[in-house]
Amino acid sequence: MGSPSPADQVSRRAQALAGHLRGLHTSMEPSLSPSPCLQYSPPELASPPSDFNLSDMRKLMDGHNLQDRDWLFGLMIQSKLFNPRVAGGRVFVSPDYNQSMEQQREMTMKRIHYLLDCGVFQEWLTGRGPEVEMRKFALHEVIGMYDHSLAVKLGVHYFLWGGAIQFFGTKRHHDKWLRDSENYVIKGCFAMTELGHGSNVRGIETVTTYDSKTGEFVINSPCESAQKYWIGGAANHATHTIVFSQLNINGKSEGVHAFIAQIRDTDGNICPNVRVADCGHKIGLNGVDNGRIWFDNVRIPRENLLNSVADVSPDGQYLSAIKDPDQRFAAFLAPLTSGRVTIATSAVYSSKMSLAIAIRYSLTRRAFSITPNQPEVLLLDYPSHQRRLLPLLAKTYAMSFAANYLKMIYVKRTPESNKTIHVVSSAFKAILTWHNMRTLQECREACGGQGLKTENRIGQMKGEYDVQSTFEGDNNVLMQQVSKALLAEYIAVQKRNRPFKGLGLEHMNKSCPVVPSQLTSSTLRSSQFQTDIFCLRERDLLIRFAAEMSQLQAQGLSREYALLQSYQLAEDLGRAFSDRAILQTFLDAEAAVSSGPLKSMLSLLRSMHVLIILEEDASFLRYGYLSPDNAAGIRKEVTILCSELRPHALALVSSFGIPDAFLSPIAFNWIDANSWSSVQPQQGATVPLQI
Amino acid sequence: MVPFSSTNGNGDQVLVEENLFLRTLILNRPRQLNALSFQMVSKLLELFVAYEDDCNVKLVILKGNGRAFCAGGDVAAVVRDINGGDWRLGAKFFWKEFILNYVMATYSKPQVSILNGIVMGGGAGASMHGRFRIATENSVFAMPETALGLFPDVGASYFLSRLPGFFGEYVGLTGARLDGAEMLACGLATHFVPSTRLLLLEAALCKLDSGAPATISSILDEYSQQPHLKENSAYHKLAVINKCFSRRTIEEILSTLEREAVNSADNWISATIQSLQKASPTSLKISLRSIREGRLQDVGQCLTREYRMVCHVLQGEVSKDFFEGCRAILLDKDKNPKWEPSRLEQINESMVEQYFSKVDDEEWEDLKLPAKFTFSASLLAKL
């Protein structure tokens, strides 16, 4: 087509102007009706009643101590200390993150004292047995749903300080410290990490010697890099600390040991020869007073050595039942397991909160009409939005079962199960916390601009939970330990010519599973196929990893150096182990449910969980466990699963059992919550909600 | 002003006055302190449902004839029915009553309840879910169910659990009586109007041509007073109440109260302990759990759960305390009920659990709430 003539252009321009003027004219006529205002419509209205029982699903998810959890939710909702705020006629509780770091820390401490007075921490250190521990886990999870700082501050005191005394200490320590710690008469912290050494605890530089003349240990920070760093509770509140230090006896280093040292007196004054400084403002967790500690030849009584593993006699002889320093060191690290258990579970609850908020919002928020003059489309009716949120929902279900399993093996631990617990807790801690950060980011984006408001929680939680991939073991380091442990197991089996036993590796004793070349929908959804392909990947990667290692070592590389070189296979293997182990926990949970709508829903979620891993993890194509055609079929099946889960989305997040007050304004009537009247002072006589 | 348009027969247990956009419903069984009969509940439900769709009605006032607003559901009649045969007859009463409570809680028009006298049990259910509750110097509020072998029902697990701190647990478990000033202080009442000004207030409301909560609120404010909270009010003890009634179990609540009693010569604490000791142990346990669950549920979930609970109470499989309580307090009036189980420690977790389960009966069904989704924040009962 040629360009229009100038005359045409002029006439078109005139027409357009006339059109504008006409438009201007008509728009001033009162008869033109404005488009109707958006009305909030609760998600319950559009969602069909669920065909599975929500409270049964919640029981399965939470797993234990449901009434204790609800009691604690209630304790927090009813107290003004938990900063209740009204929006859209509802009360929401959440810390005021706009407070200064100092104010947040003081509020954290006040909340602890309130919960203490209500009896929440009863038996947390003086009680024993699986029941007490499960209750403690449940309550700690609920606290974390309110505020991660509060949970971490308590975790340091009860799980790290208290746990160290329980596990490294002996009766004399238990009798002296546990009850006072449980009642917060003593406030404990846990000084392991140093400026120069984090994950590599064996490299710490703090040194302790023994003075047999006075019967005292002398703790010293010999250089700046030996200062204790990130010590939660140290900056403001802790009166005592566990100190991890090299122990030098008669000029010989006996390795890392744990001691109790007082750092503040009862009035809060820093003890002599101790220096404390603040770690400063952080990207999150500002309610926790992380601090730094220097020890200038601090003297502590000989009895303050936590001596379950090794002791020093009054005359200065080193005594230990465990001769191997490696094993001695491993025994010292055992209590960190409980920290990894609580981190893994709290990551799941954080994911649940963000998904509940984002999915409820996506069921009430509309954007764009597909056809003119039709209502705009609900966010969750967009297949792309389903694809963003529903796989994460399914994975969160899977990880909920994984966390429950982890807690269970932890509370039923025996000396024989220690290795399994170490490997599984390392793997699950890393995978569940990575999943959480990814979920938080996706949910934040899925809430659009509203996700940026602190009151809507998700955005803030990103900062609050980011630390999870670092503390109690850097995720990458933990995953390396997982693949190292698997390799050691593999080599032991080869060497001793015995079958695999433990760590879920028994499938390696059977013949290699065969994945059908044609994958139909029903195959993809079968637990047999799902198990087979995860086992296939784990088996193959373990064999490859072992082969690469032995090849590198045959070329003259040391084992340690070979491990560094094989990091790619090690990472893939760590993932493969974790995915297979998590799937197993899902299948076990499913098997315990009798046939019915609940079981069908679980099976749907499991298929989504597995297929999304098959779609997203490049290792399946990289190593040829799936053909490109299969991968395309899986991708298609994922979209079908999304549409099948869509009608159940509300029921699935309601089953998390999170009280409304712990969600946020956008999870409910966000139009009311943002109305003009909501920013006006209340009219007329109003009754204070709380006094 | 129109005096009133009489309702149909039934001895006019509910009177209706019509004024412009206002309907005034008067509970009219003064000799029974306006205890809610099945007829009254049915009539109220019928009227409330009709007014919801009637654009000539913008405001509903509920009040009582005589010295009571309403002393509760007519449980004596319910017990007579059941003793005559089937527990399901009793369940029917509660079904209808709870549906009425739900309709009030989700009502699209403001309800003003004038609580110029006794407000107990079912009377609280008929008023607390509405937007405005007017207390006077004559108000006496109580949820006395645990002394009757029942539990605070009519949605009390919703409104008690939303009182400040753990005041709701205190009120619901001990059956403590509150006066008008205390009702206002804790939020059970939204306004306090001296009874001498009630006629003027009603006249002012008659003239309204708007049902906007803000407009009604400003009229109520004009007639309201800030009453003086009496020196020995339980509400001054909120710190102790929170400390004790926040505990996890009834046993822990009692032992915390007893520890407090050692450190103080306060009569209030010993009276509180006594009222707990006199109450049905089973009632205490299920009531505490009900209030705790109610705190995390919406009003519909609360009523549905309470309906399950009340059916179990009527069935009497775990305990027959409700019948014993009615006998001792309402019928024989010996005030000496013999509870069974008689001690807290005899009631285990699974016995309590039973009250919260579905009822194992072919014809039984869960409470079916009318579909209502148009909650407006400005009309929710401010608790």
Side-chain angles (χ1 to χ4, degrees):
Chain A
M1 279 183 40
S3 54
S5 72
D8 283 349
Q9 284 182 8
V10 167
S11 110
R12 220 178 42 228
R13 184 83 193 122
Q15 271 174 15
L17 279 172
H20 288 323
L21 290 171
R22 268 201 306 278
L24 200 63
H25 180 66
T26 49
S27 70
M28 289 191 305
E29 280 177 12
S31 64
L32 189 74
S33 61
S35 61
C37 277
L38 287 181
Q39 289 284 315
Y40 175 83
S41 165
E44 286 79 8
L45 193 58
S47 301
S50 61
D51 51 358
F52 62 90
N53 184 300
L54 299 191
S55 54
D56 289 348
M57 187 65 107
R58 183 191 169 198
K59 263 181 215 155
L60 206 58
M61 292 282 97
D62 277 341
H64 57 101
N65 298 88
L66 270 72
Q67 277 186 62
D68 293 326
R69 290 171 196 266
D70 287 350
W71 166 61
L72 181 49
F73 280 130
L75 288 182
M76 297 196 266
I77 291 171
Q78 289 309 102
S79 165
K80 213 180 168 186
L81 285 174
F82 289 79
N83 192 31
R85 277 181 290 193
V86 177
R90 287 173 176 278
V91 178
F92 296 98
V93 291
S94 168
D96 180 358
Y97 291 108
N98 198 32
Q99 285 183 327
S100 71
M101 178 179 86
E102 286 75 14
Q103 289 170 320
Q104 289 187 49
R105 290 173 178 182
E106 286 318 304
M107 282 313 296
T108 306
M109 211 55 224
K110 280 186 184 161
R111 287 170 188 139
I112 287 176
H113 279 295
Y114 167 75
L115 297 175
L116 180 72
D117 288 345
C118 293
V120 174
F121 310 130
Q122 258 174 33
E123 296 197 299
W124 275 33
L125 289 176
T126 56
R128 283 290 149 94
E131 248 177 65
V132 172
E133 289 196 279
M134 286 306 250
R135 178 164 171 267
K136 179 163 62 173
F137 280 140
L139 295 175
H140 191 251
E141 284 156 18
V142 167
I143 290 168
M145 293 165 83
Y146 174 73
D147 177 31
H148 198 209
S149 282
L150 185 57
V152 167
K153 179 115 178 157
L154 287 165
V156 169
H157 176 76
Y158 284 106
F159 292 98
L160 295 179
W161 156 265
I165 290 170
Q166 283 177 318
F167 297 114
F168 306 150
T170 51
K171 188 167 182 302
R172 69 174 186 229
H173 304 110
H174 300 165
D175 293 347
K176 181 167 180 188
W177 304 99
L178 290 181
R179 181 159 300 279
D180 278 353
S181 297
E182 184 171 290
N183 296 326
Y184 258 94
V185 176
I186 286 168
K187 297 171 190 148
C189 62
F190 188 82
M192 182 182 252
T193 298
E194 296 175 356
L195 177 60
H197 291 86
S199 290
N200 181 17
V201 179
R202 295 183 83 165
I204 58 173
E205 297 171 287
T206 303
V207 179
T208 298
T209 52
Y210 181 67
D211 181 350
S212 56
K213 290 195 285 293
T214 59
E216 288 171 318
F217 286 108
V218 183
I219 305 174
N220 194 40
S221 311
C223 52
E224 283 298 358
S225 59
Q227 63 179 277
K228 293 294 179 184
Y229 215 99
W230 293 127
I231 310 310
N236 294 125
H237 297 126
T239 58
H240 292 72
T241 185
I242 305 288
V243 187
F244 283 81
S245 162
Q246 305 289 349
L247 175 59
N248 273 4
I249 295 292
N250 300 325
K252 186 185 174 214
S253 174
E254 299 290 354
V256 175
H257 289 69
F259 305 84
I260 295 173
Q262 186 163 0
I263 57 171
R264 281 189 181 84
D265 64 20
T266 41
D267 296 329
N269 305 307
I270 309 273
C271 293
N273 299 332
V274 174
R275 285 175 287 150
V276 169
D278 204 306
C279 288
H281 193 265
K282 306 183 292 283
I283 61 166
L285 284 190
N286 283 303
V288 180
D289 53 324
N290 292 93
R292 304 182 275 154
I293 312 174
W294 292 258
F295 298 95
D296 303 325
N297 294 314
V298 173
R299 291 184 162 259
I300 57 166
R302 189 186 66 93
E303 291 74 25
N304 282 17
L305 168 66
L306 293 170
N307 62 338
S308 72
V309 174
D311 208 350
V312 172
S313 65
D315 62 346
Q317 298 307 307
Y318 184 77
L319 314 158
S320 177
I322 307 176
K323 294 292 167 219
D324 179 4
D326 285 344
Q327 282 183 19
R328 219 153 54 205
F329 181 70
F332 269 121
L333 291 192
L336 286 183
T337 315
S338 80
R340 285 199 287 268
V341 175
T342 57
I343 290 167
T345 53
S346 81
V348 174
Y349 280 97
S350 157
S351 303
K352 285 178 176 176
M353 303 238 306
S354 63
L355 283 164
I357 293 167
I359 286 179
R360 289 186 64 93
Y361 186 58
S362 72
L363 289 167
T364 62
R365 170 75 192 211
R366 295 169 183 274
F368 300 107
S369 305
I370 295 182
T371 42
N373 302 322
Q374 289 300 302
E376 293 175 276
V377 179
L378 271 182
L379 295 187
L380 203 61
D381 284 333
Y382 285 98
S384 55
H385 209 78
Q386 294 170 10
R387 172 62 185 80
R388 288 168 67 186
L389 294 179
L390 299 181
L392 293 172
L393 177 65
K395 286 179 98 166
T396 301
Y397 266 79
M399 294 188 189
S400 206
F401 295 126
N404 285 343
Y405 167 77
L406 179 58
K407 280 187 274 184
M408 200 265 296
I409 59 170
Y410 176 77
V411 301
K412 293 187 176 166
R413 64 193 173 273
T414 60
E416 295 75 46
S417 68
N418 268 342
K419 190 172 84 183
T420 306
I421 293 172
H422 176 74
V423 174
V424 173
S425 68
S426 300
F428 285 11
K429 184 263 186 184
I431 297 291
L432 272 51
T433 58
W434 273 328
H435 167 73
N436 180 41
M437 288 311 293
R438 190 184 154 197
T439 303
L440 289 173
Q441 182 62 25
E442 196 64 67
C443 287
R444 203 299 292 155
E445 292 179 30
C447 292
Q450 288 295 324
L452 301 172
K453 294 187 76 174
T454 306
E455 69 173 22
N456 288 323
R457 306 213 61 174
I458 302 170
Q460 180 71 29
M461 282 162 70
K462 290 197 302 170
E464 298 296 318
Y465 279 88
D466 207 336
V467 66
Q468 286 201 322
S469 52
T470 299
F471 66 9
E472 307 275 327
D474 174 273
N475 279 4
N476 289 290
V477 174
L478 290 177
M479 289 301 274
Q480 282 164 15
Q481 294 195 9
V482 171
S483 35
K484 252 162 85 173
L486 295 174
L487 178 66
E489 190 66 19
Y490 182 82
I491 291 169
V493 163
Q494 299 293 311
K495 212 184 245 171
R496 295 186 199 133
N497 201 21
R498 60 165 172 87
F500 284 94
K501 191 164 176 292
L503 295 175
L505 293 173
E506 289 81 359
H507 67 90
M508 304 270 299
N509 299 323
K510 295 189 238 164
S511 57
C512 186
V514 179
V515 170
S517 55
Q518 292 289 318
L519 295 175
T520 63
S521 169
S522 69
T523 308
L524 288 173
R525 293 176 186 220
S526 74
S527 57
Q528 185 64 52
F529 160 76
Q530 294 165 2
T531 312
D532 280 352
I533 191 147
F534 277 10
C535 287
L536 174 67
R537 175 174 60 145
E538 184 182 27
R539 162 198 294 258
D540 182 66
L541 287 172
L542 181 48
I543 294 168
R544 280 174 194 258
F545 183 44
E548 187 170 294
M549 281 292 291
S550 77
Q551 196 193 350
L552 289 170
Q553 283 172 280
Q555 290 166 8
L557 264 58
S558 71
R559 182 171 168 277
E560 285 64 33
Y561 199 70
L563 274 172
L564 298 187
Q565 298 298 311
S566 305
Y567 73 95
Q568 288 176 324
L569 269 171
E571 277 174 14
D572 286 345
L573 173 62
R575 284 266 172 190
F577 167 82
S578 311
D579 288 341
R580 195 262 310 140
I582 291 170
L583 174 60
Q584 193 55 53
T585 65
F586 202 137
L587 288 167
D588 291 347
E590 215 179 315
V593 175
S594 48
S595 294
L598 190 64
K599 203 182 181 87
S600 314
M601 181 47 61
L602 290 174
S603 141
L604 202 59
L605 289 163
R606 169 179 35 80
S607 292
M608 176 63 105
H609 165 68
V610 172
L611 294 195
I612 208 68
I613 291 173
L614 296 183
E615 189 199 289
E616 287 180 349
D617 192 317
S619 67
F620 293 94
L621 282 168
R622 180 184 300 135
Y623 301 105
Y625 313 132
L626 288 173
S627 69
D629 281 352
N630 285 339
I634 284 166
R635 202 146 193 243
K636 212 180 218 169
E637 194 68 19
V638 165
T639 66
I640 299 169
L641 283 168
C642 279
S643 63
E644 287 178 32
L645 280 175
R646 160 67 184 86
H648 306 286
L650 180 66
L652 288 169
V653 296
S654 300
S655 300
F656 290 155
I658 307 167
D660 296 352
F662 282 71
L663 299 179
S664 75
I666 45 165
F668 301 94
N669 191 334
W670 40 269
I671 294 182
D672 265 5
N674 285 286
S675 67
W676 178 248
S677 65
S678 74
V679 291
Q680 301 308 299
Q682 287 286 318
Q683 291 167 330
T686 51
V687 177
L689 189 80
Q690 306 275 332
I691 62 151
Chain B
M1 284 229 236
V2 186
F4 60 80
S5 70
S6 168
T7 57
N8 54 16
N10 297 336
D12 290 339
Q13 293 186 358
V14 179
L15 307 178
V16 182
E17 288 181 5
E18 299 192 1
N19 278 293
L20 204 61
F21 296 111
L22 166 70
R23 299 293 175 275
T24 304
L25 310 183
I26 305 163
L27 306 175
N28 186 33
R29 271 177 100 203
R31 288 179 56 201
Q32 290 86 3
L33 300 174
N34 299 326
L36 293 173
S37 64
F38 187 77
Q39 285 166 27
M40 288 164 87
V41 171
S42 307
K43 186 72 200 170
L44 287 172
L45 181 57
E46 190 184 299
L47 291 168
F48 265 84
V49 169
Y51 294 159
E52 180 125 61
D53 296 329
D54 185 344
C55 58
N56 290 319
V57 180
K58 294 188 174 168
L59 168 64
V60 180
I61 291 182
L62 187 63
K63 61 180 190 175
N65 184 8
R67 65 188 181 94
F69 169 76
C70 170
D74 194 352
V75 282
V78 172
V79 169
R80 266 198 309 276
D81 283 352
I82 300 171
N83 286 340
D86 198 347
W87 66 271
R88 289 179 195 80
L89 280 175
K92 237 178 161 169
F93 173 83
F94 288 100
W95 176 290
K96 185 131 287 184
E97 187 183 24
F98 291 5
I99 295 286
L100 173 66
N101 298 147
Y102 184 72
V103 166
M104 289 171 158
T106 56
Y107 212 52
S108 61
K109 301 173 183 186
Q111 173 189 345
V112 178
S113 302
I114 301 177
L115 310 173
N116 187 27
I118 298 166
V119 192
M120 292 188 186
S127 51
M128 292 306 145
H129 297 292
R131 175 65 181 82
F132 298 106
R133 289 96 53 191
I134 318 284
T136 73
E137 73 283 1
N138 299 319
S139 300
V140 181
F141 175 95
M143 296 302 284
E145 287 84 355
T146 58
L148 269 181
L150 190 62
F151 63 93
D153 59 343
V154 294
S157 63
Y158 180 80
F159 62 76
L160 288 182
S161 63
R162 280 156 179 78
L163 299 187
F166 297 84
F167 200 65
E169 271 94 338
Y170 164 69
V171 168
L173 295 173
T174 63
R177 292 184 172 206
L178 306 178
D179 64 23
E182 291 170 314
M183 292 176 70
L184 182 73
C186 76
L188 283 166
T190 58
H191 296 78
F192 183 96
V193 177
S195 61
T196 49
R197 306 179 76 176
L198 286 175
L199 281 176
L200 289 171
L201 168 66
E202 285 188 65
L205 290 174
C206 278
K207 297 192 193 106
L208 270 185
D209 55 1
S210 152
T215 314
I216 295 166
S217 198
S218 63
I219 291 181
L220 294 179
D221 286 349
E222 272 177 50
Y223 295 87
S224 291
Q225 257 185 15
Q226 191 60 42
H228 178 69
L229 201 54
K230 66 186 182 223
E231 200 87 337
N232 61 351
S233 166
Y235 204 66
H236 291 309
K237 323 266 187 203
L238 195 55
V240 184
I241 289 174
N242 286 345
K243 188 171 177 190
C244 301
F245 284 86
S246 61
R247 308 304 283 206
R248 203 160 53 99
T249 60
I250 295 286
E251 289 89 336
E252 287 178 43
I253 289 173
L254 264 167
S255 63
T256 315
L257 279 166
E258 278 157 7
R259 268 204 304 280
E260 285 293 312
V262 173
N263 304 324
S264 99
D266 194 338
N267 286 334
W268 173 84
I269 294 186
S270 50
T272 301
I273 294 172
Q274 267 175 29
S275 52
L276 289 176
Q277 284 166 341
K278 271 170 71 181
S280 148
T282 308
S283 291
L284 288 177
K285 288 212 166 178
I286 63 173
S287 301
L288 180 63
R289 168 133 174 218
S290 175
I291 294 169
R292 296 274 161 91
E293 287 198 9
R295 188 161 279 141
L296 307 178
Q297 294 175 324
D298 63 35
V299 68
Q301 291 168 315
C302 285
L303 287 163
T304 308
R305 173 177 39 72
E306 289 176 10
Y307 181 69
R308 281 189 185 187
M309 293 171 67
V310 89
C311 288
H312 285 289
V313 167
L314 297 174
Q315 267 190 317
E317 348 103 292
V318 177
S319 160
K320 299 190 185 350
D321 279 358
F322 180 44
F323 305 99
E324 174 61 11
C326 286
R327 180 203 65 74
I329 310 291
L330 302 174
L331 305 174
D332 297 352
K333 300 190 177 163
D334 61 22
K335 294 189 178 164
N336 188 21
K338 296 274 174 280
W339 305 127
E340 188 57 46
S342 62
R343 293 206 318 267
L344 288 167
E345 58 268 30
Q346 294 167 327
I347 305 156
N348 61 37
E349 201 46 47
S350 68
M351 289 158 82
V352 174
E353 191 68 43
Q354 173 112 23
Y355 284 91
F356 296 81
S357 62
K358 284 197 164 196
V359 173
D360 191 14
D361 182 290
E362 270 179 28
E363 289 166 40
W364 184 87
E365 50 184 358
D366 267 324
L367 191 66
K368 270 210 202 74
L369 301 169
K372 294 198 117 193
F373 286 104
T374 49
F375 290 108
S376 159
S378 64
L379 276 167
L380 284 179
K382 293 278 182 296
L383 287 160

